Amino acid sequence: QVQLVESGGGLVQPGGSLRLSCAASGSDFRINAIHWYRQAPGKQRELVASITYGGSTSYVNSVKGRFTISRDSAKNTVYLQMNRLKPEDTAVYYCNAWGSNIYWGQGTQVTVSS
């Protein structure tokens, strides 16, 4: 079993930055990547960024060049650095992993507003 705990959300003005953290505990040998999803009010949950255990990264087009996913293996933590934030980035952000089960964190709210 794996537990995922997100932190770092908050209220930020347009153009600002936030760094989200996803701390993982437990183990599941089938997991080979960690993902960040987000869900805005009235919209479907969407995949924002992914990082594999080999370090390969991928991003949805709307955040390319603004968001960076990274990991600290020693701390079992994955980060999402979000720069040049826009109001449309407002959402609950979730950490996710696929292994023997599908694991989700509880989510952290990001609000971009002036």
Side-chain angles (χ1 to χ4, degrees):
Q1 284 291 329
V2 171
Q3 293 77 45
L4 303 173
V5 178
E6 303 97 333
S7 61
L11 173 64
V12 63
Q13 291 186 344
S17 298
L18 282 174
R19 188 178 79 159
L20 306 183
S21 299
C22 171
S25 60
S27 65
D28 185 327
F29 296 107
R30 294 188 178 184
I31 294 174
N32 61 9
I34 302 293
H35 314 282
W36 282 100
Y37 282 77
R38 67 185 179 187
Q39 187 166 21
K43 294 188 176 181
Q44 288 189 332
R45 194 170 294 190
E46 70 167 345
L47 177 62
V48 175
S50 301
I51 185 165
T52 69
Y53 278 13
S56 297
T57 60
S58 60
Y59 302 89
V60 68
N61 283 341
S62 59
V63 308
K64 284 182 180 177
R66 301 189 297 121
F67 290 12
T68 303
I69 190 170
S70 62
R71 61 189 174 93
D72 184 332
S73 299
K75 295 182 178 180
N76 287 331
T77 300
V78 171
Y79 303 99
L80 186 67
Q81 178 67 44
M82 307 186 295
N83 298 328
R84 305 202 313 273
L85 282 161
K86 304 176 181 180
E88 51 263 44
D89 295 317
T90 295
V92 179
Y93 284 71
Y94 298 91
C95 189
N96 164 270
W98 292 61
S100 299
N101 294 301
I102 300 173
Y103 305 100
W104 291 97
Q106 82 287 353
T108 185
Q109 175 71 47
V110 171
T111 302
V112 185
S113 175
S114 56

